[in-house]
Structure formats: structure tokens, C-alpha cells
Amino acid sequence: MIHPTNSDKTQLDALISHGMSYRQTNNNLSESYKEQRQSFLLKRLQLQAQIILIAGLTLIAFFLWVNSQLEGKIYAFKIGLVVELFTLICWGLCKTSIGRRYPDLIFLSLCWSVTCVVQIDIALLFNNLEPRSHIWTLMFITQATIIPVQWWMHLISQIGTILCYLTLYIVYNPILKNPLAFYIEQGLYLFWTCIICVFSVYLYERLRKKEFYASKAMELAQHKSERLLLNILPEMIAEQLKQQPATIADNFLEVTVLFADIVGFTELSSHTSPAELVELLNTIFCLFDQLAERHGVEKIKTIGDAYMAVAGLPNQSNNHAPAIADMALDMQNAVATFNEENNQSFSIRIGISTGPVVAGVIGLKKFAYDLWGDTVNIASRMESHGIAGSIQVCEVTYQLLKDKYLLDKRGLIKVKGKGEMMTYILKGINLKT
């Protein structure tokens, strides 16, 4: 078996996703290559059988034409009929479960039906054991060009043909009709034909396997790039950006935006190591990411210990406010569970606002999907002017949630740039409705 080169292994190893070892991936690729080669082998065996049938008919017609005696015509017809029958059987087996399970045996049977069977028939009918090297050479070259895989099968078929001839020679012990130099010449031609055929198959299969691994490495690289792109941008925006790499900006008449901030995290950073701090933040934000995916919410970005998400874009939905409300309540529960498991005392302050936004991708480098508009600013103010451990929503969001959720009126608060605004605190789901 030919293994991938070190560069192929290094490239594949670098492309393996988290949690999957190189050995598992390499085994999967090897199995995939074997399946592909098996399918290729079966198709080519059927093609070879068809070619042999057509070639056999031409040879039968030729020998019937050149033989003037009736007995010679009958012998030629019998030999040709036996070879054609063997070939037909091999062709039929290629289409059955036996052929799919044992294609190697079909390969050898096709070869020996032309080489060994002809030699045996002629020996039985005429007691003539002159080596039919021209038939052998034609068969070996045919298989090397049509089925250039599994070089060891080609070698076995060639050795089997020669052993068959030597066995018949020992049994019949005929008198040689030509000078010794003739047989040496024929032997040398046959030897180098076999060597060249086997070596060419070996080189072709080696090249084919390298191409297969390179193709799979390219597919894995594309898959990884696609996964990384989808971690940065929504799927719809990523597809749009790939097809037309230009500024993307869309207006959305009504979406719901969420801002969340971890209370007390800044104070914790003063007496916690950077590595531990980042690990804690990463754990919490990973929980939030899972909640966003569960509720069909689009994560926009994180800024320090703040988390921003939106519902209702890029795929527009009429259920954007409830989706954000459910996520906000689950975020509170997730932080509470995290505190119990990690002996922490974090609380989360969340602000929610509903209204129109502009969303898109700008810039040439390190681009990201972002939102702009008053709705974003109000959501940010709802969070920054909120109460630790609570979810504060604006009037518009309240009107969308009041029938199915429990909300307490907080009252008017002064919001920078907006004046006084009526706000509400989201408490939970109204179980009565």
C-alpha cells in the first residue's frame, strides 16, 4: 500500500477538526480511497470484458477464414467459444455481489481466460505447446492500460500465466520446433513487457493516490474556511459576500437587539490572572453562544465582557421579540448555574430594544457583520441604565411581549440622547397564557 507523503499528512493533520485524531481521519480517507478504487476497478473490469468479447469475435472470424479444412474451423470455433464463455461469465459476475466483493478474482479470471485457457485448449487439441507470447503480451498491456490499479494483481496474473505454461510443458514434454535463441528472444520480450506493465501500474496508482489525498486535503481546507467564515458572518451574508465581494448593507424595519454585560467582571480582573479571567469569560460566552443557536438568535459580537445579539435578521422573522426574551431569561439561568458550579457571584445586566436597524459588512480587512441605528443605541442604554441581575426593555419591546411574559413597570428613566423613556423589567414567562 502506498501512503501519503509527509507534506500531505502535515496538511491533513492541520485541517482536522477538534476532537478527531489524525489516525481516525487517515483511516477514514484510506477507506474512502479503497471504496473509490473498488468502484473504478469494477467499471473497468466490465469495460475490459466487453473489449475481450469484441476482440475474440474478430479472432474467431479470422481463424475460420484462414483455416481451409473443416476440422480446423471446428477447433478454432471451439477454442474461441470457450474463451468467449469465460469472458461472459466474468462480465456477468461484475454486476453481482460476488464481483463487488471479489473483484480481484474477476481480474485474474479475465486474464487467465485469454492466456491460460487458450494454452490449455491448444495443448489438449493439438499437443502443441509453443508459447503464445503475442496473446500474453496483448493481454498484459490491455490490463495495464484499462485497469491501472493494484500492481500486485498484474504481477500475479503474469506469473500465473507463465506457471501454467511451464506446468503444461512438463506434462507434455514436447520437442521444441524453433532454435533456442528464438525462445530466449521471446522470453526477453515477455519479461520486459511484464516489468514495464507492472511498473507503470505502480506509478499510476501512486500518482492517483497522491491526487486523491490532495483533493481531500483541499476539500477539508475549503470546509474549514467555510466553517470559519460562518463563525464570523451569518450564512446568508457569507454566501452573498462570496458571490459579490462588495459593501453589504440592508435595512430591516423591525428587529430586537440584546445587550448583556457581566456585572462585577471588571473588578474581578484586578485580582485574577489573565489566563483564568479569559477562561471564565470564554466559558460564559460559550454558554451564551449555545443559547443563541438554540433560540435562532444571531450573535453579532462581544466587546470586552459585553455580549450583543439580535433576532429578526438576516432571515426576517415575526417572532424576534419572544426569541430574544427567551434567550435573555435563559442567560440569567445560565449565569446562575455557572456561579454554583464555579463558586462565583456574577450577575448579568441585560437591555433589550425593538425597532429598525441597518445591518451589513463594511471595510476590506477583518470585516464583521454589524448593526447601526437608534434601536442599537437604545438597547445599549437599556443595558447600561439597567439594574444588575435584571432584564430591562423599552416601550416597543414591552408592547410585543406583554401578552405572553411577566413584566414590571420600572418607570421613566433619563436616557442619554433620548431624554426620558418608559422602561420595563422582564421577569419571566406568563404561564397563564
Side-chain angles (χ1 to χ4, degrees):
M1 180 180 292
I2 301 180
H3 298 284
T5 62
N6 291 333
S7 61
D8 291 334
K9 289 183 178 180
T10 303
Q11 187 177 14
L12 288 173
D13 195 16
L15 296 172
I16 297 169
S17 59
H18 294 291
M20 181 179 290
S21 67
Y22 171 76
R23 182 175 296 178
Q24 289 173 324
T25 302
N26 195 39
N27 289 339
N28 292 338
L29 288 173
S30 297
E31 290 299 321
S32 178
Y33 175 75
K34 288 178 181 179
E35 292 174 2
Q36 186 189 75
R37 187 178 62 178
Q38 191 92 335
S39 175
F40 172 81
L41 180 59
L42 282 171
K43 290 179 181 178
R44 289 302 181 89
L45 283 172
Q46 294 181 54
L47 176 61
Q48 184 189 1
Q50 295 169 8
I51 293 175
I52 292 175
L53 286 172
I54 297 172
L57 291 175
T58 59
L59 290 173
I60 291 173
F62 171 75
F63 285 117
L64 290 175
W65 176 62
V66 297
N67 278 286
S68 57
Q69 298 181 355
L70 178 62
E71 185 178 5
K73 293 179 181 291
I74 294 174
Y75 284 148
F77 181 76
K78 285 182 178 180
I79 295 172
L81 186 63
V82 171
V83 173
E84 295 288 273
L85 182 61
F86 270 103
T87 306
L88 273 174
I89 293 173
C90 292
W91 186 17
L93 288 175
C94 287
K95 302 179 180 180
T96 65
S97 59
I98 297 175
R100 289 189 291 270
R101 189 176 302 176
Y102 306 108
D104 302 347
L105 296 181
I106 305 297
F107 177 93
L108 295 175
S109 299
L110 275 175
C111 179
W112 290 339
S113 66
V114 175
T115 57
C116 298
V117 170
V118 171
Q119 199 70 47
I120 293 171
D121 284 348
I122 293 176
L124 292 174
L125 292 174
F126 304 107
N127 195 25
N128 184 349
L129 287 178
E130 286 296 310
R132 308 284 167 174
S133 58
H134 55 291
I135 298 179
W136 302 350
T137 300
L138 179 62
M139 189 63 208
F140 298 153
I141 293 176
T142 300
Q143 285 195 314
T145 53
I146 296 178
I147 313 177
V149 291
Q150 298 184 348
W151 61 269
W152 51 270
M153 281 200 317
H154 293 261
L155 184 61
I156 291 174
S157 67
Q158 295 162 7
I159 293 175
T161 298
I162 296 171
L163 289 177
C164 176
Y165 171 77
L166 292 176
T167 301
L168 291 172
Y169 185 87
I170 293 172
V171 172
Y172 283 88
N173 193 22
I175 299 174
L176 298 177
K177 297 180 180 180
N178 295 297
L180 182 61
F182 170 81
Y183 296 103
I184 294 175
E185 180 185 2
Q186 295 299 310
L188 285 173
Y189 279 127
L190 181 64
F191 171 79
W192 283 111
T193 299
C194 294
I195 292 296
I196 292 170
C197 286
V198 172
F199 188 61
S200 65
V201 171
Y202 168 79
L203 292 177
Y204 177 85
E205 188 168 21
R206 184 175 181 179
L207 176 63
R208 187 179 180 88
K209 192 164 189 179
K210 284 184 177 181
E211 289 177 346
F212 174 83
Y213 273 87
S215 174
K216 288 300 179 181
M218 182 65 69
E219 289 179 11
L220 287 172
Q222 291 175 347
H223 177 70
K224 183 179 181 183
S225 298
E226 184 75 17
R227 190 172 65 250
L228 290 173
L229 187 60
L230 292 179
N231 280 338
I232 300 171
L233 302 173
E235 183 176 359
M236 181 186 299
I237 302 302
E239 289 297 327
Q240 187 177 348
L241 192 64
K242 286 189 293 184
Q243 295 175 8
Q244 187 178 2
T247 301
I248 297 174
D250 297 302
N251 286 311
F252 295 90
L253 296 178
E254 189 175 78
V255 300
T256 300
V257 181
L258 174 148
F259 270 92
D261 185 73
I262 302 174
V263 181
F265 197 83
T266 304
E267 291 78 5
L268 181 67
S269 63
S270 61
H271 53 82
T272 305
S273 67
E276 185 180 355
L277 193 70
V278 172
E279 182 64 28
L280 287 172
L281 191 61
N282 179 65
T283 303
I284 295 173
F285 281 176
C286 284
L287 294 173
F288 293 171
D289 289 345
Q290 293 172 6
L291 293 175
E293 187 173 356
R294 182 189 306 170
H295 293 291
V297 172
E298 191 69 43
K299 174 188 175 182
I300 299 300
K301 60 185 174 182
T302 60
I303 308 171
D305 58 348
Y307 190 94
M308 179 184 177
V310 62
L313 62 79
N315 296 312
Q316 298 186 35
S317 169
N318 294 326
N319 198 43
H320 50 84
I324 285 291
D326 290 339
M327 179 175 173
L329 293 170
D330 284 346
M331 289 170 74
Q332 285 185 328
N333 294 331
V335 171
T337 303
F338 175 83
N339 287 336
E340 292 179 5
E341 294 176 351
N342 296 274
N343 194 26
Q344 298 290 340
S345 58
F346 294 130
S347 62
I348 187 170
R349 186 172 55 237
I350 300 176
I352 299 174
S353 175
T354 301
V357 297
V358 176
V361 178
I362 59 174
L364 296 175
K365 295 182 178 180
K366 296 184 179 179
F367 48 80
Y369 192 64
D370 210 344
L371 309 179
W372 300 273
D374 276 347
T375 303
V376 178
N377 297 332
I378 293 172
S380 178
R381 296 292 182 265
M382 290 295 104
E383 179 271 314
S384 60
H385 292 65
I387 304 170
S390 68
I391 305 169
Q392 183 166 251
V393 305
C394 69
E395 177 71 31
V396 180
T397 307
Y398 167 77
Q399 294 298 330
L400 296 174
L401 299 178
K402 63 181 181 180
D403 294 333
K404 296 182 180 180
Y405 293 84
L406 299 174
L407 297 106
D408 291 343
K409 184 176 181 180
R410 185 185 180 190
L412 294 172
I413 64 170
K414 190 173 182 180
V415 177
K416 182 180 178 180
K418 301 299 291 185
E420 291 187 337
M421 295 186 67
M422 182 63 69
T423 61
Y424 301 83
I425 303 298
L426 175 64
K427 292 294 187 180
I429 299 174
N430 190 346
L431 298 178
K432 293 181 181 180
T433 60

